[in-house]
C-alpha cells in the first residue's frame, strides 16, 4: 500500500469498521464544543463523554452538558446507548457490548482518551470500559450506581419494563391525548409523577401511531445483564468520583471498601435531598460536585 495514502483518518476508518464487524453499533450522539482553533490552550483537555441511565437518552443531559462545556471549555459528548434514543436497536444488550460501542465511537472520532461520566446503567457501562480499557480513560465519574449489586429498587424495574410493553393506545390520538392515556395506564405500576414523566420521554409518534423508542423486547430479555454487574479481577487506577443521592441506596456507605478494590483512587460524595436522579433533582448541587472534581488542580 502507498504509505502516502495510508492517512490517520483512513486508519481509524479501517479500525472502526473492524470493530463494527464484531457487532458494535454506531451510537447516536450530540457534541458540544467551541469554535476555538485546533490546539488552543483551552481545548487541550480530553473530551467528556456522558451516558444516560436505563430507559433514558442523551437529551436527559442536554442542559447540563452545555453548562459543563461552558465551565470547563472542554468538548462534551452525550450519547444514546444501544436500544435507547436514536441509537440502533440490537438483539442483545450487556455492559461489555455497551463499553465496546463507546470504544467504537471514540475510535471513529479519533479520541485517544476521555473523561467518562455515566448515570445508573451508564455509570456501570463507564466502569466496565475503565476496567477493560483503562488507557483510554482520563477520569471516571459514576452517578448513583455501584459495581456492587445492592438496591432492591432494581427489582421494580423489571415490573416497569413489563408494564411498558403492555401499554395499548388507540390510533389517531393527539400527542397530548396519548400522553394522558399512557400516564393513566402507568399509574397502576408507577406511583411517582416524576418517574412517569421520565418514562414518557420515550413515547414517539410513527405514522399517526405512538410507540416506545426504546427496544423493550431486548431490554426485557437481557434484563439480568443490566441488573448484574460483570465480575472483574482488574482494577482502574485512575481518578474516580462516585456521586450519590442522600435519599438513594444505590451507593451504600458500607460498600465503600469493596468498591475501592476495583477503583482504589475513588472518592465518594452525596448530594443532600437527592434520590436516584441526582443530576435532574438537584442540578446545581450536582454540577458543583462534578465541576469541582473536573477542574481542580492536581499535583
Amino acid at each position: 500500500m502507498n504509505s502516502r495514502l495510508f492517512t490517520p483518518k483512513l486508519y481509524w476508518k479501517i479500525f472502526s469498521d473492524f470493530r463494527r464487524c464484531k457487532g458494535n453499533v454506531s451510537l447516536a450522539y450530540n457534541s458540544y464544543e467551541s469554535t476555538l482553533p485546533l490546539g488552543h490552550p483551552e481545548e487541550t483537555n480530553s473530551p467528556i463523554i456522558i451516558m444516560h441511565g436505563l430507559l433514558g437518552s442523551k437529551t436527559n443531559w442536554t442542559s447540563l452538558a452545555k453548562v459543563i462545556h461552558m465551565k470547563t471549555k472542554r468538548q462534551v459528548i452525550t450519547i444514546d446507548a444501544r436500544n435507547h434514543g436514536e441509537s440502533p436497536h440490537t438483539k442483545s444488550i450487556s455492559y461489555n457490548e455497551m463499553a465496546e460501542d463507546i470504544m467504537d465511537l471514540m475510535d471513529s472520532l479519533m479520541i485517544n482518551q476521555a473523561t467518562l461520566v455515566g448515570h445508573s446503567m451508564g455509570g456501570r457501562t463507564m466502569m466496565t470500559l475503565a476496567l477493560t480499557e483503562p488507557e483510554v480513560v482520563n477520569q471516571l465519574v459514576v452517578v448513583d450506581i455501584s459495581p456492587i449489586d445492592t438496591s432492591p429498587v432494581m427489582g421494580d424495574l423489571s415490573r416497569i419494563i413489563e408494564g411498558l410493553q403492555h401499554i395499548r393506545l388507540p390510533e389517531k390520538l393527539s400527542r397530548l391525548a396519548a400522553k394522558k392515556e399512557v400516564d393513566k395506564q402507568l399509574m397502576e405500576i408507577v406511583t411517582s409523577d416524576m418517574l412517569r414523566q421520565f418514562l414518557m420521554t420515550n413515547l414517539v409518534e410513527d405514522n399517526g401511531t405512538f410507540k416506545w423508542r426504546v427496544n423493550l423486547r431486548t431490554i426485557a430479555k437481557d434484563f439480568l445483564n443490566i441488573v448484574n454487574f460483570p465480575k472483574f479481577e482488574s482494577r482502574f487506577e485512575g481518578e474516580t468520583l462516585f456521586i450519590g443521592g442522600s435519599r438513594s441506596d444505590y451507593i451504600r456507605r458500607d460498600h465503600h471498601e469493596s468498591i475501592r478494590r476495583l477503583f482504589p483512587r475513588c472518592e465518594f460524595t452525596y448530594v443532600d435531598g437527592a434520590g436516584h436522579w441526582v443530576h435532574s433533582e438537584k442540578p446545581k448541587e450536582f454540577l458543583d460536585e462534578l465541576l469541582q472534581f473536573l477542574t481542580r488542580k492536581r499535583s
Side-chain angles (χ1 to χ4, degrees):
M1 178 182 290
N2 189 331
S3 61
R4 288 178 297 178
L5 298 178
F6 195 68
T7 63
K9 185 175 181 180
L10 177 60
Y11 168 80
W12 286 107
K13 183 181 185 304
I14 293 172
F15 191 58
S16 296
D17 288 347
F18 169 75
R19 297 183 70 94
R20 203 163 290 119
C21 287
K22 293 168 59 180
N24 304 335
V25 301
S26 297
L27 299 178
Y29 69 93
N30 289 332
S31 179
Y32 304 89
E33 52 194 298
S34 69
T35 56
L36 292 173
L38 187 65
H40 190 282
E42 290 186 347
E43 287 286 14
T44 56
N45 289 324
S46 62
I48 300 167
I49 301 177
I50 302 175
M51 183 174 170
H52 58 82
L54 181 65
L55 304 180
S57 72
K58 62 183 182 296
T59 58
N60 302 148
W61 285 85
T62 298
S63 298
L64 292 173
K66 291 177 180 178
V67 176
I68 294 168
H69 166 64
M70 181 180 66
K71 295 290 186 180
T72 64
K73 302 296 189 295
R74 295 165 66 177
Q75 181 185 15
V76 179
I77 299 169
T78 57
I79 62 177
D80 281 334
R82 61 168 57 200
N83 299 303
H84 291 73
E86 297 175 325
S87 286
H89 287 191
T90 61
K91 294 181 179 179
S92 62
I93 184 169
S94 69
Y95 289 118
N96 286 321
E97 288 173 319
M98 289 187 283
E100 282 285 332
D101 292 339
I102 295 173
M103 274 297 300
D104 186 55
L105 178 65
M106 293 176 67
D107 292 341
S108 67
L109 298 177
M110 291 186 281
I111 297 173
N112 294 321
Q113 195 175 61
T115 291
L116 305 182
V117 180
H119 171 246
S120 197
M121 180 189 76
R124 285 189 160 184
T125 299
M126 298 311 197
M127 284 190 280
T128 299
L129 182 54
L131 290 166
T132 53
E133 305 281 355
E135 69 280 355
V136 306
V137 184
N138 179 30
Q139 296 169 295
L140 175 65
V141 180
V142 180
V143 184
D144 209 64
I145 198 66
S146 165
I148 313 299
D149 298 327
T150 55
S151 178
V153 177
M154 289 185 179
D156 296 337
L157 291 173
S158 178
R159 183 169 52 85
I160 291 172
I161 292 166
E162 182 180 357
L164 292 175
Q165 291 180 288
H166 288 91
I167 295 289
R168 295 292 180 265
L169 290 175
E171 294 185 1
K172 297 181 180 179
L173 288 179
S174 67
R175 180 165 183 81
L176 179 60
K179 290 186 69 173
K180 286 184 176 179
E181 179 59 29
V182 170
D183 189 55
K184 178 182 176 183
Q185 294 186 42
L186 278 177
M187 281 183 185
E188 299 178 8
I189 55 172
V190 180
T191 58
S192 167
D193 291 341
M194 187 189 79
L195 180 53
R196 289 199 308 276
Q197 292 303 313
F198 166 74
L199 294 171
M200 282 192 289
T201 62
N202 288 293
L203 192 65
V204 293
E205 186 177 3
D206 182 24
N207 294 324
T209 62
F210 287 87
K211 65 178 185 179
W212 299 111
R213 64 178 174 178
V214 287
N215 186 354
L216 293 172
R217 178 177 297 179
T218 291
I219 292 172
K221 177 180 70 71
D222 288 349
F223 185 67
L224 290 179
N225 291 341
I226 299 170
V227 172
N228 298 314
F229 190 67
K231 301 298 182 184
F232 289 98
E233 298 298 328
S234 58
R235 305 197 307 175
F236 175 65
E237 303 284 350
E239 295 175 334
T240 304
L241 175 66
F242 286 84
I243 305 177
S246 67
R247 295 191 297 104
S248 173
D249 63 353
Y250 278 83
I251 307 176
R252 286 173 44 176
R253 288 172 170 81
D254 60 334
H255 284 161
H256 284 190
E257 287 308 310
S258 296
I259 295 171
R260 285 195 177 97
R261 294 192 187 103
L262 293 173
F263 304 96
R265 296 180 63 192
C266 72
E267 307 167 31
F268 299 91
T269 187
Y270 293 84
V271 176
D272 287 340
H276 182 53
W277 282 270
V278 187
H279 53 295
S280 60
E281 294 176 36
K282 298 284 184 177
K284 180 184 181 303
E285 293 82 355
F286 168 78
L287 280 171
D288 287 345
E289 297 291 348
L290 176 65
L291 292 171
Q292 181 181 349
F293 176 75
L294 294 179
T295 60
R296 75 184 181 203
K297 295 186 180 297
R298 292 168 170 84
S299 57

